[in-house]
Amino acid sequence: MEVQLKQIEVESRHILENMFPYYVYDMSEFMGWSPNAEGVYTFKAESLDSYWSHDDHIPYFIYADQELAGFVLVRKYPTNQNVFDIEQFFVLRKFKGQGVGKSAFKDVVTRYPGQWQIRVLKENESGLRFWLSAIKNISGVNFNLGLDIDIDLEMHFIRFETSSQ
């Protein structure tokens, strides 16, 4: 399966906004969020503004065999501008378990060599397994896994470094 990243231009932002409630739904398993009275998982669209107003925030769609498969939002971490951070990463269920996420992740870190961190909710055991496997594919055992605070949540932080090829 051919996996590609395509930077999201502002003209396609609405597609990301259409997909985002699916991400929120997936995360509701761990966060306890409920849909609104209309049965929709909502989010604040303004939370995506920085991806078109800050040079250190880069949004991508993930495509699998030229079909929209998800998104990845890359940024410099707000409290440490030396570190790349994936703010959100989402692969549609149709594509899970097929290597799409790992391939997209490898593409991202190849584009941005340097220090990286991945944050995973403590409750998201399957997410942690995915990220540890994906990172081991790239850096072997050269990573650090620990607990840290992100805003107001204790989360798993996986820190590692990539070099330019």
Side-chain angles (χ1 to χ4, degrees), residues 123-134:
E123 301 81 4
N124 189 351
E125 293 175 14
S126 63
L128 182 60
R129 282 191 304 275
F130 166 81
W131 284 113
L132 289 173
S133 176

Side-chain angles (χ1 to χ4, degrees), residues 73-104:
L73 304 180
V74 179
R75 66 180 179 167
K76 290 287 192 144
Y77 194 59
T79 60
N80 185 349
Q81 292 289 297
N82 295 318
V83 175
F84 289 103
D85 176 75
I86 293 182
E87 189 172 15
Q88 277 92 22
F89 186 91
F90 176 70
V91 174
L92 291 167
R93 290 178 187 247
K94 171 182 178 178
F95 298 101
K96 289 192 177 189
Q98 298 178 44
V100 172
K102 287 181 181 177
S103 181

Side-chain angles (χ1 to χ4, degrees), residues 11-143:
E11 298 81 24
S12 298
R13 176 183 172 152
H14 68 283
I15 299 169
L16 176 62
E17 290 178 6
N18 290 343
M19 291 189 79
F20 216 83
Y22 298 111
Y23 169 77
V24 174
Y25 168 71
D26 272 5
M27 296 308 292
S28 73
E29 176 180 356
F30 311 108
M31 299 300 292
W33 298 325
S34 298
N36 66 15
E38 301 296 318
V40 177
Y41 282 88
T42 61
F43 71 102
K44 294 180 180 171
E46 314 82 61
S47 68
L48 301 173
D49 288 351
S50 59
Y51 285 90
W52 290 274
S53 63
H54 293 81
D55 290 339
D56 63 356
H57 285 58
I58 309 100
Y60 291 99
F61 284 130
I62 301 169
Y63 285 88
D65 289 338
Q66 304 198 15
E67 185 177 344
L68 184 60
F71 59 82
V72 56
L73 304 180
V74 179
R75 66 180 179 167
K76 290 287 192 144
Y77 194 59
T79 60
N80 185 349
Q81 292 289 297
N82 295 318
V83 175
F84 289 103
D85 176 75
I86 293 182
E87 189 172 15
Q88 277 92 22
F89 186 91
F90 176 70
V91 174
L92 291 167
R93 290 178 187 247
K94 171 182 178 178
F95 298 101
K96 289 192 177 189
Q98 298 178 44
V100 172
K102 287 181 181 177
S103 181
F105 173 65
K106 184 177 181 180
D107 192 353
V108 166
V109 298
T110 300
R111 290 175 190 226
Y112 304 99
Q115 294 179 46
W116 276 90
Q117 71 179 19
I118 303 295
R119 297 164 296 111
V120 183
L121 292 168
K122 283 175 40 176
E123 301 81 4
N124 189 351
E125 293 175 14
S126 63
L128 182 60
R129 282 191 304 275
F130 166 81
W131 284 113
L132 289 173
S133 176
I135 291 166
K136 285 176 185 175
N137 286 345
I138 293 167
S139 68
V141 294
N142 296 321
F143 65 89

